[in-house]
Amino acid sequence: GLRLVRSGVRSGFSYEDLSGVADVDVAAYRAADRRAGFDLEQGSQMRLKVLYLGGSRYEFIWSHHHIIMDGWCSSLLIREYFRLYEGEVLGAVYPYSDYIKWLEKRDMSASLSYWRTYLSGYDRVSALPKQVVGDKGVFAGGSIGFSLPSAQRSGLRELCMSLGITENIFLQTVWGILLGSYSGEEEVLYGTVVSGRPAELEGVEEMIGLFINTIPVRIRLEGEMSVKELLLSVQQSFIAGLPHHYTQLAAIQAQTPLKQGLFAHTLTFENFPVQEWMQQQVADKQYISNCVLTEIYDTNDYDFSIIVVPGEQLVFRFTYNKNAHEEAFISQIKDHFIQLITTIIKDSSVAIHPLQTSIRIDHPQSVAAENVRISNYTAGFSATVSDDF
């Protein structure tokens, strides 16, 4: 098909001298940048802002609309940025158009058939209970973060290795069990974000562009089935769906009567360790010894989302709409999540039903679940740097 590339787009770069301002609130600048959002019909879809804080200190805020690239690309761009700074020669460039050509050769009718079968008979939304705590229909972002205790972290890793499953599948399954406890249903469905980078495409890991896709995860909870059996079943289902992860979410939603209301929240297992890469460079390269990556962020407007960042620690971030959920309820979800993980690590042969009945839910009167449509998906990172090398 015809593709147009607009020329003459105004730069998204800006510089501000704050050296004369006492006690600069850098966090406020970051928050203001997020609130600015992006207009897809005009202007650059990327912003680079440098704040001069005085002396040899600078704050670099780099943000972009998610439509132009995904989180993996942030790792690539940060790496290339510092290579250029060091005067190194960059490697081969693999154009995003190669991926588009690969995508156009796929049999999308087969994928649509797969998703119709996968979602057949599912006609309800698996949503968390909502509390009326603010302006209905208005999104007010909130989040809580936590790490899995070290004992559970090592136990989770060992269990996954023994069963031959990924940590992503483990956490998806545990979330499905917990969601079933909240909804009282024998099957649940939520969205998960997949990388969308086909291994067979040469240079795909070095390409800059939007590859990620959100797909539905449907988990059937048979009460007498053991958690171990469910874990293996979810992994097999995920593997069977791999060839169809490239189907656009809108096309998948169109295969069901729920359409855009197919799911109300997402779980994302992030596998682009920007922070770990930066720390490694600090150890290997003196020239960035004074660069501290202070924050990596992304936003969406689902009323609830789970983001998992793997590594030596397993870090979780629950983002939620303060106008739909109370912080105490979100904190309760965190406690239940850790409770289930701990129990399953100790004995994965436990049946699903006893696990679910062990979850005690304490929340106020709830209202009917509604899905909030994503309106502006922004991502980026912020770093504090010094030129005192």
Side-chain angles (χ1 to χ4, degrees):
L2 178 65
R3 295 182 182 84
L4 300 177
V5 178
R6 185 173 182 176
S7 63
V9 176
R10 181 178 299 177
S11 169
F13 177 82
S14 63
Y15 174 90
E16 190 168 347
D17 186 344
L18 300 176
S19 58
V21 180
D23 300 323
V24 177
D25 187 354
V26 173
Y29 277 87
R30 296 189 198 122
D33 182 78
R34 295 188 205 183
R35 288 195 300 270
F38 290 92
D39 186 342
L40 288 173
E41 295 184 358
Q42 60 182 344
S44 173
Q45 301 307 307
M46 181 181 290
R47 284 192 300 271
L48 298 93
K49 187 178 188 67
V50 176
L51 305 177
Y52 177 46
L53 305 179
S56 59
R57 296 184 304 118
Y58 297 82
E59 179 79 12
F60 182 27
I61 302 173
W62 188 353
S63 57
H64 62 88
H65 195 290
H66 226 315
I67 199 171
I68 64 173
M69 64 180 185
D70 53 34
W72 183 270
C73 297
S74 298
S75 300
L76 299 179
L77 289 176
I78 293 170
R79 184 188 67 191
E80 292 189 357
Y81 174 87
F82 283 111
R83 282 181 176 173
L84 286 171
Y85 186 88
E86 184 70 355
E88 297 179 9
V89 177
L90 299 182
V93 174
Y94 297 92
Y96 186 68
S97 57
D98 287 355
Y99 169 68
I100 299 298
K101 293 173 183 176
W102 178 89
L103 202 59
E104 289 176 340
K105 294 177 181 178
R106 297 193 59 78
D107 183 0
M108 295 308 297
S109 62
S111 291
L112 291 178
S113 176
Y114 167 83
W115 288 115
R116 275 195 300 272
T117 301
Y118 183 83
L119 298 169
S120 177
Y122 194 86
D123 58 0
R124 56 198 173 281
V125 180
S126 300
L128 296 173
K130 291 187 180 183
Q131 304 88 45
V132 181
V133 295
D135 294 337
K136 190 175 181 181
V138 177
F139 188 90
S143 69
I144 62 171
F146 61 98
S147 299
L148 202 61
S150 57
Q152 284 87 337
R153 177 67 185 102
S154 59
L156 186 155
R157 184 184 293 112
E158 292 170 5
L159 176 60
C160 290
M161 290 180 63
S162 68
L163 295 179
I165 64 172
T166 65
E167 294 182 356
N168 183 15
I169 292 298
F170 178 89
L171 294 171
Q172 284 192 31
T173 305
V174 173
W175 175 247
I177 294 171
L178 183 55
L179 187 58
S181 299
Y182 293 147
S183 68
E185 302 288 348
E186 293 185 351
E187 61 177 359
V188 296
L189 188 145
Y190 58 88
T192 192
V193 178
V194 292
S195 71
R197 293 178 183 255
E200 64 266 33
L201 181 60
E202 182 183 3
V204 70
E205 291 188 352
E206 300 297 320
M207 289 182 187
I208 303 295
L210 180 62
F211 290 86
I212 61 168
N213 189 29
T214 304
I215 61 170
V217 176
R218 184 177 184 179
I219 297 180
R220 294 176 173 85
L221 303 164
E222 299 176 17
E224 300 305 315
M225 176 186 283
S226 71
V227 174
K228 178 180 178 179
E229 291 172 323
L230 181 61
L231 287 167
L232 295 174
S233 174
V234 172
Q235 170 126 323
Q236 291 171 358
S237 176
F238 190 81
I239 293 173
L242 282 173
H244 312 291
H245 284 185
Y246 311 98
T247 311
Q248 291 185 353
L249 176 59
I252 297 174
Q253 293 168 325
Q255 309 307 308
T256 76
L258 293 173
K259 304 301 181 186
Q260 290 187 334
L262 182 60
F263 50 79
H265 65 277
T266 60
L267 186 155
T268 303
F269 191 86
E270 295 188 342
N271 61 350
F272 39 92
V274 181
Q275 180 72 68
E276 288 185 10
W277 182 87
M278 292 286 286
Q279 290 172 346
Q280 184 61 45
Q281 299 309 299
V282 167
D284 295 344
K285 301 283 189 179
Q286 182 63 34
Y287 70 86
I288 60 169
S289 61
N290 293 323
C291 176
V292 180
L293 188 64
T294 57
E295 185 176 13
I296 304 170
Y297 62 86
D298 53 49
T299 63
N300 66 57
D301 288 343
Y302 282 109
D303 277 342
F304 180 74
S305 298
I306 301 174
I307 298 173
V308 186
V309 182
E312 263 323 292
Q313 288 187 313
L314 199 58
V315 179
F316 298 83
R317 187 165 83 250
F318 289 178
T319 63
Y320 65 99
N321 182 3
K322 293 180 179 179
N323 285 331
H325 299 298
E326 293 179 342
E327 183 177 357
F329 180 58
I330 301 301
S331 181
Q332 184 181 195
I333 295 174
K334 178 200 75 172
D335 294 339
H336 289 161
F337 204 25
I338 295 177
Q339 174 187 332
L340 281 181
I341 291 172
T342 303
T343 303
I344 293 169
I345 288 172
K346 290 180 179 178
D347 183 11
S348 63
S349 65
V350 64
I352 295 171
H353 181 68
L355 269 183
Q356 291 181 309
T357 55
S358 70
I359 299 297
R360 299 186 61 181
I361 304 171
D362 179 23
H363 59 78
Q365 184 73 30
S366 61
V367 297
E370 295 177 6
N371 196 12
V372 177
R373 184 179 179 182
I374 292 181
S375 60
N376 202 326
Y377 200 169
T378 306
F381 82 96
S382 177
T384 302
V385 300
S386 170
D387 62 1
D388 190 14
F389 300 123

